[in-house]
Amino acid sequence: MATYDELVRDYESGIGVAGESLPPLEPGANLAATLPVWALAGGAVAAFATAADRWRESRGLTPLRSVLEPGRVAAAFSSERLFRLDGQRPDIFAELSGFFRAADAWVRTHANYPHHRARLLTAVELPATATRADFTARIATLAAADIEQRAAEQGAIAVRVRAEQEWADSPQGKAAASGPLVAIETRDDNGPVESPTAATSLLPLRGLRVLDLTRVIAGPVATRALALLGADVLRIDAPGLPEIGWQFLDTCQGKRSTVVDLRTDLPVFHELISNADIIISGYRPGSLERLGVRPAEMRPGIVHGRVSAWGESGPWGDRRGFDSIVQAASGISRIEGAHDNSHGEPAVGALPAQALDHASGYLLAAGVLDALRARRADGRGRDVRVALARTGSWLLSQPGRTPDHPPAQLPDPRYAVTHGAVTTARPALSEYYDHPWPAPDYGSDTFSWKARPDGL
């Protein structure tokens, strides 16, 4: 049976760090699944916690030596189940997001954003007014591989549900499974290294600036984790593409939010980057560069964290994707649906949480902390990369599957916190009772940095 400390060891060996042994933990029914989801979740949070301690020690601060609470970690990973707005649960997936039966196989779609919905309807030649019933009927007439290809050509998001071995044998599956769990690459650019002497053990990143160019879950989880440690995190969204409301409230705690158009406000963006210590981006490979944004040139020595769905190489390196889509393409959906095969055909299912997203977020935050620590020694900039599909390949590679598992335990309400009309999960680390502050109003802040604390 895979244990959470195995992921920590895999992360640390991948970046060349000698870690310490961690205490055993019994997860119970938290995140119960056929695959070892608790090992992934607990391991990702523990990797972040131990990386934070390495950063603390490099700054002469006392390490916290976090001991995880499985229920609290599970609540953080299942935060959408605890989230309430005015007492109401959100609709997690839109009407055209989900599993649909094509003419020959299952497909999984993602159309939560209006522009993704529009592209998906265009891909299958339906009008913008099409209903779920219209879409279901149309999908049933098309081959799954055809739908997948049409979606890729239109920039929509749909994949054919694959078996595990088929994915592993495919060029895109092999590319997704290659390389370390978190890649940290040292660049040649050098720059000034901030030394936040106002930092404390609880706030070891106090005085550091993080530019957040991410949305949905993985990237926002990473930047929220950095904000938890005291960083000034400024999230930037583009005008005309607002975030899904509940999702923003669930992942933007401790940050500031502003709206900047990179196509027309590049000087503003250049100024922000030139005074940042870290940038976290979720754009597909090459997208920032095509906009004229090259962080390492704008701010030599910057740590650039990057999250993608499929990795930045291989035949799917330029495709869009989300956690649920990666689960479907990589065989995870088949594995988690196999215990409910009552209709004589392969069943489809899902993990008990968006675990690839959340785990990738904490792993990215861990990588950024270790890159910062290394930068203190040589001043050189670094790129830190994670991919949902690489995180998924780790999960698929672990032993000890439990197809007869009990139902996953619902997140414990004790790990929720309410501010006004909004209820969200508490931080995954038990040393922190709550996030620094609730999510701000969307786009409510100026596009400027706060003054660094005294003592810098």
Side-chain angles (χ1 to χ4, degrees), residues 80 215-222 246-247 251 323 354 357-358 361:
E80 74 278 2
R215 50 175 45 197
V216 195
I217 299 177
V221 163
W246 78 265
Q247 207 161 250
T251 58
D323 183 305
Q354 301 287 297
D357 257 327
H358 285 271

Side-chain angles (χ1 to χ4, degrees), residues 351-402:
L351 301 176
Q354 301 287 297
L356 307 185
D357 257 327
H358 285 271
S360 296
Y362 286 106
L363 288 169
L364 180 58
V368 165
L369 289 168
D370 280 315
L372 281 174
R373 184 175 53 84
R375 189 183 74 173
R376 280 184 54 78
D378 59 17
R380 296 174 68 185
R382 283 166 172 81
D383 289 331
V384 183
R385 292 183 173 88
V386 300
L388 305 189
R390 179 64 184 89
T391 303
S393 72
W394 184 91
L395 181 63
L396 286 164
S397 72
Q398 298 307 298
R401 297 182 182 183
T402 54

Side-chain angles (χ1 to χ4, degrees), residues 8 64 90 102 116 139 217 219 247 250 301 306 319 324 350 429:
V8 178
L64 297 187
H116 289 160
I139 289 292
I217 299 177
Q247 207 161 250
D250 194 41
R306 307 158 75 107
R319 292 196 183 190
S324 58
L429 296 180

Side-chain angles (χ1 to χ4, degrees), residues 93-109:
F93 291 109
E95 66 170 355
L96 299 191
S97 295
F99 292 102
F100 293 87
R101 196 73 170 87
D104 57 348
W106 288 102
V107 294
R108 181 62 165 89
T109 64

Side-chain angles (χ1 to χ4, degrees), residues 146-370:
D146 184 26
I147 295 167
E148 183 176 271
Q149 184 59 35
R150 287 168 176 243
E153 292 170 356
Q154 291 293 329
I157 303 167
V159 294
R160 179 170 59 85
V161 176
R162 288 165 170 77
E164 176 184 5
Q165 194 59 50
E166 180 188 1
W167 172 254
D169 292 340
S170 69
Q172 58 267 33
K174 291 177 180 177
S178 64
L181 197 57
V182 178
I184 301 180
E185 300 170 1
T186 305
R187 303 190 307 268
D188 292 331
D189 52 286
N190 289 70
V193 177
E194 296 293 346
S195 298
T197 55
T200 66
S201 288
L202 274 178
L203 301 175
L205 295 182
R206 187 166 181 253
L208 294 182
R209 294 166 170 171
V210 180
L211 200 59
D212 180 2
L213 301 180
T214 68
R215 50 175 45 197
V216 195
I217 299 177
V221 163
T223 53
R224 185 182 64 186
L226 299 175
L228 185 70
L229 302 188
D232 177 16
V233 179
L234 181 61
R235 169 168 163 158
I236 291 181
D237 283 278
L241 289 175
E243 178 63 292
I244 296 168
W246 78 265
Q247 207 161 250
F248 176 85
L249 294 172
D250 194 41
T251 58
C252 209
Q253 301 99 316
K255 311 176 197 177
R256 297 184 295 127
S257 168
T258 192
V259 175
V260 176
D261 191 335
L262 303 191
R263 296 167 298 181
T264 59
D265 295 329
L266 197 56
V268 169
F269 193 66
H270 191 296
E271 180 68 17
L272 288 172
I273 288 185
S274 65
N275 288 285
D277 303 290
I278 303 160
I279 180 172
I280 308 292
S281 64
Y283 286 81
R284 286 178 299 144
S287 297
L288 281 178
E289 289 76 10
R290 285 191 291 273
L291 290 170
V293 177
R294 294 175 175 81
E297 295 177 8
M298 295 175 170
R299 201 304 200 181
I302 198 167
V303 171
H304 188 175
R306 307 158 75 107
V307 58
S308 64
W310 309 105
E312 296 189 10
S313 63
W316 282 19
D318 62 346
R319 292 196 183 190
R320 296 171 173 85
F322 294 97
D323 183 305
S324 58
I325 297 296
V326 175
Q327 288 188 44
S330 64
I332 293 174
S333 294
R334 284 275 191 91
I335 293 168
E336 295 301 334
H339 65 281
D340 185 27
N341 187 7
S342 57
H343 299 290
E345 64 181 31
V348 289
L351 301 176
Q354 301 287 297
L356 307 185
D357 257 327
H358 285 271
S360 296
Y362 286 106
L363 288 169
L364 180 58
V368 165
L369 289 168
D370 280 315

Side-chain angles (χ1 to χ4, degrees), residues 90-133:
D91 292 327
I92 305 301
F93 291 109
E95 66 170 355
L96 299 191
S97 295
F99 292 102
F100 293 87
R101 196 73 170 87
D104 57 348
W106 288 102
V107 294
R108 181 62 165 89
T109 64
H110 196 290
N112 285 6
Y113 288 95
H115 56 292
H116 289 160
R117 173 192 166 94
R119 292 171 186 168
L120 185 60
L121 289 174
T122 298
V124 297
E125 300 173 340
L126 285 175
T129 56
T131 65
R132 181 180 176 88

